[in-house]
Amino acid sequence: MKRILAIGELLIDFVPHQRGCALREVESFTRVAGGAPANVVTAVSRLGGSGAMVSQVGNDAFGEHIIDVLGKNGVDTSYVFKTDSANTGLAFVSLDSTGNREFSFFRNPSADMLLSPEQIAPEMLADCSVLHFCSVDLVDRPVKEAHRKLLEMAQERHVTISFDPNVRLPLWDSPKSCRDAIREFLPYANIVKLSDDELEFVTGCRTEEEAAELLFGMNCEMLILTKGPDGSSVYTKTAQAHRAALPVKVVDTTGAGDSFIGSFLFQLVRDKVTLDRIAQLSEQKLGEYLDFSARYASITCQQQGAVMATMAEMEAYHL
């Protein structure tokens, strides 16, 4: 099975012990290795696929912990660099009564933001089927151009490029700067994953169909939408599928979107769906992919923190 490679932030999530209160009221936290791109390749590896990460951490205990956790979950960390120039990023999280989150980030700058284009090498894409990225590290730091270099290398090699903007406005000077960065990088993406509350912000479109049409006018071949209690949808240029939400009690939404797209990409690579085969996927097959990913993400939602299940755990899990 070919590899799924991700580039982007690595950080520590401090997950609250209390819920239903504002971040300023949380008294204690649990340390969890995090970062959306890392969650995605962790899901891939836990399911039995091959996941790898390109990023940078500080030469500190938090960075060592992240590398240890990724390694224990089967993620290749050969291209996770260390630097003395900045510390590993931190994110403090609070949860409301429905499991939704409030964030406070400590990364000014963090080590991942200093990943430079000079550290990007062609061998990172060896045996790679999909390259996945998000928007958190598309800030005006060296890491932005590191992304661009790796994405352009991937395009030259006909590697499928997946983009989950994963909008985190507290990290940006303004909503406009976030939107501008996302739209600058959208033309690289062959697969775009959006949540329902990101759809209009990212695309300017109010309906899924309008957003799909807009994105298909770029390099996009597939749009995946997660809609919380309203389920999920997937669009290609030739077919579409929709699924209702599964009836689960949500404990924490941290990592839910990452587990969804990670498990979706896992299925595509497992089934050898290369870029030129996306348009050949039937409505039935797209629906099967949604069913699998919805079930996988539901396991994450019912636990605290971005927990990614193994295939055996998923098969044994009863909704």
CSV table of all heavy atoms in Angstrom, one decimal, residues 35-81:
chain,number,residue,atom,x,y,z
A,35,GLY,N,-2.1,18.3,16.3
A,35,GLY,CA,-1.8,18.9,15.0
A,35,GLY,C,-2.7,18.1,14.0
A,35,GLY,O,-2.6,16.9,13.9
A,36,ALA,N,-3.5,18.9,13.2
A,36,ALA,CA,-4.4,18.2,12.3
A,36,ALA,C,-3.8,17.3,11.3
A,36,ALA,O,-4.2,16.1,11.1
A,36,ALA,CB,-5.3,19.2,11.6
A,37,PRO,N,-2.7,17.7,10.6
A,37,PRO,CA,-2.1,16.8,9.6
A,37,PRO,C,-1.5,15.5,10.3
A,37,PRO,O,-1.6,14.5,9.7
A,37,PRO,CB,-0.9,17.7,9.1
A,37,PRO,CG,-1.3,19.1,9.4
A,37,PRO,CD,-2.0,19.0,10.7
A,38,ALA,N,-1.0,15.7,11.5
A,38,ALA,CA,-0.5,14.5,12.2
A,38,ALA,C,-1.7,13.6,12.6
A,38,ALA,O,-1.5,12.3,12.5
A,38,ALA,CB,0.2,14.9,13.5
A,39,ASN,N,-2.8,14.1,13.0
A,39,ASN,CA,-4.0,13.3,13.3
A,39,ASN,C,-4.4,12.5,12.0
A,39,ASN,O,-4.8,11.3,12.1
A,39,ASN,CB,-5.2,14.1,13.7
A,39,ASN,CG,-5.0,14.8,15.1
A,39,ASN,OD1,-4.1,14.3,15.9
A,39,ASN,ND2,-5.7,15.8,15.3
A,40,VAL,N,-4.3,13.1,10.9
A,40,VAL,CA,-4.7,12.4,9.6
A,40,VAL,C,-3.8,11.2,9.3
A,40,VAL,O,-4.3,10.1,9.1
A,40,VAL,CB,-4.7,13.4,8.4
A,40,VAL,CG1,-4.9,12.7,7.1
A,40,VAL,CG2,-5.8,14.5,8.6
A,41,VAL,N,-2.5,11.4,9.4
A,41,VAL,CA,-1.6,10.3,9.1
A,41,VAL,C,-1.6,9.2,10.2
A,41,VAL,O,-1.3,8.1,9.9
A,41,VAL,CB,-0.2,10.7,8.7
A,41,VAL,CG1,-0.2,11.4,7.3
A,41,VAL,CG2,0.4,11.6,9.7
A,42,THR,N,-1.9,9.7,11.4
A,42,THR,CA,-2.1,8.7,12.5
A,42,THR,C,-3.3,7.8,12.2
A,42,THR,O,-3.2,6.6,12.4
A,42,THR,CB,-2.3,9.4,13.8
A,42,THR,OG1,-1.1,10.1,14.1
A,42,THR,CG2,-2.5,8.4,15.0
A,43,ALA,N,-4.4,8.4,11.8
A,43,ALA,CA,-5.6,7.6,11.4
A,43,ALA,C,-5.2,6.6,10.3
A,43,ALA,O,-5.6,5.4,10.4
A,43,ALA,CB,-6.7,8.5,11.0
A,44,VAL,N,-4.5,7.0,9.3
A,44,VAL,CA,-4.1,6.2,8.2
A,44,VAL,C,-3.2,5.0,8.7
A,44,VAL,O,-3.5,3.8,8.4
A,44,VAL,CB,-3.3,7.0,7.2
A,44,VAL,CG1,-2.6,6.0,6.1
A,44,VAL,CG2,-4.1,8.0,6.5
A,45,SER,N,-2.3,5.3,9.6
A,45,SER,CA,-1.4,4.3,10.1
A,45,SER,C,-2.1,3.3,11.0
A,45,SER,O,-1.9,2.1,11.0
A,45,SER,CB,-0.2,4.9,10.8
A,45,SER,OG,0.6,5.7,9.9
A,46,ARG,N,-3.0,3.8,11.9
A,46,ARG,CA,-3.7,3.0,12.8
A,46,ARG,C,-4.7,2.0,12.1
A,46,ARG,O,-4.9,0.9,12.5
A,46,ARG,CB,-4.5,3.9,13.7
A,46,ARG,CG,-3.7,4.7,14.7
A,46,ARG,CD,-3.3,4.0,15.9
A,46,ARG,NE,-4.4,3.8,16.8
A,46,ARG,CZ,-4.3,3.0,17.9
A,46,ARG,NH1,-3.2,2.4,18.2
A,46,ARG,NH2,-5.3,2.9,18.7
A,47,LEU,N,-5.1,2.5,10.9
A,47,LEU,CA,-6.0,1.6,10.1
A,47,LEU,C,-5.2,0.5,9.3
A,47,LEU,O,-5.9,-0.3,8.7
A,47,LEU,CB,-6.8,2.4,9.1
A,47,LEU,CG,-8.0,3.2,9.8
A,47,LEU,CD1,-8.6,4.3,8.8
A,47,LEU,CD2,-9.1,2.2,10.2
A,48,GLY,N,-3.9,0.6,9.3
A,48,GLY,CA,-3.1,-0.4,8.6
A,48,GLY,C,-2.5,0.2,7.4
A,48,GLY,O,-1.8,-0.6,6.7
A,49,GLY,N,-2.6,1.5,7.1
A,49,GLY,CA,-2.0,2.1,6.0
A,49,GLY,C,-0.6,2.6,6.3
A,49,GLY,O,0.0,2.3,7.4
A,50,SER,N,0.0,3.3,5.4
A,50,SER,CA,1.4,3.9,5.6
A,50,SER,C,1.3,5.4,5.7
A,50,SER,O,0.9,6.0,4.7
A,50,SER,CB,2.3,3.4,4.5
A,50,SER,OG,3.6,4.0,4.6
A,51,GLY,N,1.5,6.0,6.8
A,51,GLY,CA,1.5,7.4,7.0
A,51,GLY,C,2.8,8.0,7.4
A,51,GLY,O,3.6,7.4,8.1
A,52,ALA,N,3.1,9.2,6.9
A,52,ALA,CA,4.4,9.8,7.2
A,52,ALA,C,4.1,11.3,7.4
A,52,ALA,O,3.2,11.9,6.8
A,52,ALA,CB,5.4,9.6,6.0
A,53,MET,N,5.0,12.0,8.1
A,53,MET,CA,4.8,13.4,8.5
A,53,MET,C,6.1,14.2,8.1
A,53,MET,O,7.2,13.8,8.4
A,53,MET,CB,4.6,13.4,10.0
A,53,MET,CG,4.2,14.8,10.5
A,53,MET,SD,2.5,15.2,10.0
A,53,MET,CE,2.6,17.0,10.1
A,54,VAL,N,5.8,15.4,7.6
A,54,VAL,CA,6.9,16.4,7.3
A,54,VAL,C,6.6,17.6,8.2
A,54,VAL,O,5.5,18.2,8.1
A,54,VAL,CB,6.9,16.9,5.9
A,54,VAL,CG1,8.0,18.0,5.7
A,54,VAL,CG2,7.2,15.7,4.9
A,55,SER,N,7.4,17.9,9.2
A,55,SER,CA,7.2,19.0,10.1
A,55,SER,C,8.5,19.3,10.9
A,55,SER,O,9.5,18.8,10.6
A,55,SER,CB,6.0,18.7,11.0
A,55,SER,OG,5.7,19.9,11.8
A,56,GLN,N,8.3,20.1,11.9
A,56,GLN,CA,9.4,20.5,12.8
A,56,GLN,C,8.9,20.7,14.2
A,56,GLN,O,7.9,21.3,14.4
A,56,GLN,CB,10.1,21.7,12.2
A,56,GLN,CG,11.4,22.1,13.0
A,56,GLN,CD,12.3,23.0,12.2
A,56,GLN,OE1,13.3,22.6,11.6
A,56,GLN,NE2,11.9,24.2,12.1
A,57,VAL,N,9.7,20.3,15.2
A,57,VAL,CA,9.4,20.5,16.6
A,57,VAL,C,10.6,21.2,17.2
A,57,VAL,O,11.7,21.2,16.7
A,57,VAL,CB,9.0,19.2,17.3
A,57,VAL,CG1,7.8,18.6,16.7
A,57,VAL,CG2,10.2,18.2,17.2
A,58,GLY,N,10.3,21.7,18.4
A,58,GLY,CA,11.4,22.3,19.2
A,58,GLY,C,12.3,21.2,19.8
A,58,GLY,O,11.8,20.0,19.9
A,59,ASN,N,13.5,21.5,20.1
A,59,ASN,CA,14.4,20.6,20.7
A,59,ASN,C,14.1,20.6,22.2
A,59,ASN,O,14.9,21.0,23.1
A,59,ASN,CB,15.9,21.0,20.5
A,59,ASN,CG,16.8,19.8,20.8
A,59,ASN,OD1,16.4,18.7,21.0
A,59,ASN,ND2,18.1,20.2,20.8
A,60,ASP,N,12.9,20.1,22.5
A,60,ASP,CA,12.4,20.1,23.9
A,60,ASP,C,11.6,18.9,24.2
A,60,ASP,O,11.3,18.0,23.4
A,60,ASP,CB,11.5,21.4,24.1
A,60,ASP,CG,10.4,21.6,23.1
A,60,ASP,OD1,9.8,20.6,22.7
A,60,ASP,OD2,10.2,22.7,22.6
A,61,ALA,N,11.1,18.8,25.5
A,61,ALA,CA,10.4,17.6,25.9
A,61,ALA,C,9.1,17.4,25.2
A,61,ALA,O,8.7,16.3,24.9
A,61,ALA,CB,10.1,17.7,27.4
A,62,PHE,N,8.4,18.5,24.8
A,62,PHE,CA,7.1,18.4,24.1
A,62,PHE,C,7.4,17.8,22.7
A,62,PHE,O,6.6,17.0,22.2
A,62,PHE,CB,6.4,19.7,24.0
A,62,PHE,CG,5.9,20.2,25.4
A,62,PHE,CD1,6.0,21.5,25.8
A,62,PHE,CD2,5.1,19.3,26.2
A,62,PHE,CE1,5.5,21.9,27.0
A,62,PHE,CE2,4.6,19.7,27.4
A,62,PHE,CZ,4.8,21.0,27.8
A,63,GLY,N,8.4,18.3,22.1
A,63,GLY,CA,8.8,17.8,20.7
A,63,GLY,C,9.1,16.3,20.8
A,63,GLY,O,8.7,15.5,19.9
A,64,GLU,N,9.9,15.9,21.8
A,64,GLU,CA,10.2,14.5,21.9
A,64,GLU,C,9.0,13.6,22.1
A,64,GLU,O,8.8,12.5,21.6
A,64,GLU,CB,11.2,14.3,23.1
A,64,GLU,CG,12.6,14.9,22.9
A,64,GLU,CD,13.4,14.1,22.0
A,64,GLU,OE1,13.0,13.0,21.6
A,64,GLU,OE2,14.6,14.5,21.7
A,65,HIS,N,8.0,14.2,22.9
A,65,HIS,CA,6.8,13.4,23.2
A,65,HIS,C,6.0,13.2,21.9
A,65,HIS,O,5.5,12.1,21.6
A,65,HIS,CB,6.0,14.2,24.2
A,65,HIS,CG,4.6,13.6,24.5
A,65,HIS,ND1,4.5,12.3,25.1
A,65,HIS,CD2,3.4,14.0,24.2
A,65,HIS,CE1,3.2,12.0,25.2
A,65,HIS,NE2,2.5,13.0,24.6
A,66,ILE,N,5.9,14.3,21.1
A,66,ILE,CA,5.2,14.1,19.8
A,66,ILE,C,5.8,13.1,18.9
A,66,ILE,O,5.1,12.2,18.4
A,66,ILE,CB,5.1,15.5,19.1
A,66,ILE,CG1,4.2,16.5,19.9
A,66,ILE,CG2,4.6,15.3,17.7
A,66,ILE,CD1,4.3,17.9,19.4
A,67,ILE,N,7.1,13.1,18.8
A,67,ILE,CA,7.8,12.2,17.9
A,67,ILE,C,7.6,10.7,18.5
A,67,ILE,O,7.3,9.8,17.7
A,67,ILE,CB,9.3,12.5,17.8
A,67,ILE,CG1,9.5,13.8,17.0
A,67,ILE,CG2,10.1,11.3,17.2
A,67,ILE,CD1,10.9,14.3,17.0
A,68,ASP,N,7.7,10.6,19.8
A,68,ASP,CA,7.4,9.3,20.4
A,68,ASP,C,6.0,8.7,20.1
A,68,ASP,O,5.8,7.6,19.7
A,68,ASP,CB,7.6,9.3,21.9
A,68,ASP,CG,9.1,9.5,22.3
A,68,ASP,OD1,10.0,9.3,21.4
A,68,ASP,OD2,9.4,9.8,23.5
A,69,VAL,N,5.0,9.6,20.3
A,69,VAL,CA,3.6,9.2,20.1
A,69,VAL,C,3.4,8.8,18.6
A,69,VAL,O,2.8,7.8,18.3
A,69,VAL,CB,2.7,10.3,20.5
A,69,VAL,CG1,1.2,10.0,20.1
A,69,VAL,CG2,2.7,10.5,22.0
A,70,LEU,N,3.9,9.7,17.7
A,70,LEU,CA,3.7,9.4,16.3
A,70,LEU,C,4.4,8.0,15.9
A,70,LEU,O,3.8,7.2,15.2
A,70,LEU,CB,4.3,10.5,15.4
A,70,LEU,CG,3.6,11.8,15.4
A,70,LEU,CD1,4.4,12.8,14.6
A,70,LEU,CD2,2.2,11.7,14.8
A,71,GLY,N,5.6,7.8,16.4
A,71,GLY,CA,6.3,6.6,16.1
A,71,GLY,C,5.5,5.3,16.7
A,71,GLY,O,5.4,4.3,16.0
A,72,LYS,N,5.0,5.5,17.9
A,72,LYS,CA,4.3,4.4,18.5
A,72,LYS,C,3.0,4.0,17.7
A,72,LYS,O,2.5,2.9,17.8
A,72,LYS,CB,3.9,4.7,19.9
A,72,LYS,CG,5.1,4.6,20.9
A,72,LYS,CD,4.8,5.1,22.3
A,72,LYS,CE,6.0,5.1,23.2
A,72,LYS,NZ,5.7,5.6,24.5
A,73,ASN,N,2.5,5.0,17.0
A,73,ASN,CA,1.2,4.8,16.2
A,73,ASN,C,1.6,4.5,14.8
A,73,ASN,O,0.7,4.4,13.9
A,73,ASN,CB,0.4,6.1,16.2
A,73,ASN,CG,-0.4,6.2,17.5
A,73,ASN,OD1,-1.2,5.3,17.9
A,73,ASN,ND2,-0.2,7.3,18.3
A,74,GLY,N,2.8,4.2,14.5
A,74,GLY,CA,3.2,3.7,13.2
A,74,GLY,C,3.5,4.8,12.1
A,74,GLY,O,3.7,4.4,10.9
A,75,VAL,N,3.5,6.0,12.5
A,75,VAL,CA,3.8,7.1,11.6
A,75,VAL,C,5.3,7.3,11.4
A,75,VAL,O,6.1,7.3,12.3
A,75,VAL,CB,3.2,8.5,12.1
A,75,VAL,CG1,3.5,9.6,11.1
A,75,VAL,CG2,1.7,8.3,12.2
A,76,ASP,N,5.7,7.4,10.1
A,76,ASP,CA,7.1,7.6,9.8
A,76,ASP,C,7.5,9.1,10.1
A,76,ASP,O,6.9,10.0,9.6
A,76,ASP,CB,7.3,7.3,8.3
A,76,ASP,CG,8.8,7.5,7.9
A,76,ASP,OD1,9.6,7.9,8.7
A,76,ASP,OD2,9.1,7.1,6.7
A,77,THR,N,8.4,9.2,11.0
A,77,THR,CA,8.9,10.6,11.5
A,77,THR,C,10.2,11.0,10.9
A,77,THR,O,10.9,11.8,11.5
A,77,THR,CB,8.8,10.7,13.0
A,77,THR,OG1,9.7,9.7,13.5
A,77,THR,CG2,7.4,10.5,13.5
A,78,SER,N,10.7,10.3,9.9
A,78,SER,CA,12.0,10.6,9.3
A,78,SER,C,12.2,12.0,8.9
A,78,SER,O,13.3,12.5,8.9
A,78,SER,CB,12.3,9.7,8.1
A,78,SER,OG,12.2,8.3,8.4
A,79,TYR,N,11.1,12.7,8.6
A,79,TYR,CA,11.1,14.1,8.1
A,79,TYR,C,10.5,15.0,9.1
A,79,TYR,O,10.0,16.1,8.7
A,79,TYR,CB,10.5,14.2,6.7
A,79,TYR,CG,11.2,13.4,5.7
A,79,TYR,CD1,10.6,12.2,5.2
A,79,TYR,CD2,12.6,13.6,5.3
A,79,TYR,CE1,11.3,11.4,4.3
A,79,TYR,CE2,13.2,12.8,4.4
A,79,TYR,CZ,12.6,11.7,3.9
A,79,TYR,OH,13.3,10.9,3.0
A,80,VAL,N,10.5,14.6,10.4
A,80,VAL,CA,10.2,15.6,11.5
A,80,VAL,C,11.5,16.1,12.0
A,80,VAL,O,12.2,15.3,12.7
A,80,VAL,CB,9.3,14.9,12.5
A,80,VAL,CG1,9.0,15.9,13.7
A,80,VAL,CG2,8.0,14.4,12.0
A,81,PHE,N,11.8,17.3,11.7
A,81,PHE,CA,13.1,17.9,12.1
A,81,PHE,C,13.0,18.5,13.5
A,81,PHE,O,11.9,18.8,14.1
A,81,PHE,CB,13.5,19.0,11.1
A,81,PHE,CG,13.6,18.5,9.7
A,81,PHE,CD1,12.5,18.6,8.8
A,81,PHE,CD2,14.8,17.9,9.3
A,81,PHE,CE1,12.6,18.1,7.5
A,81,PHE,CE2,14.9,17.4,8.0
A,81,PHE,CZ,13.8,17.5,7.1
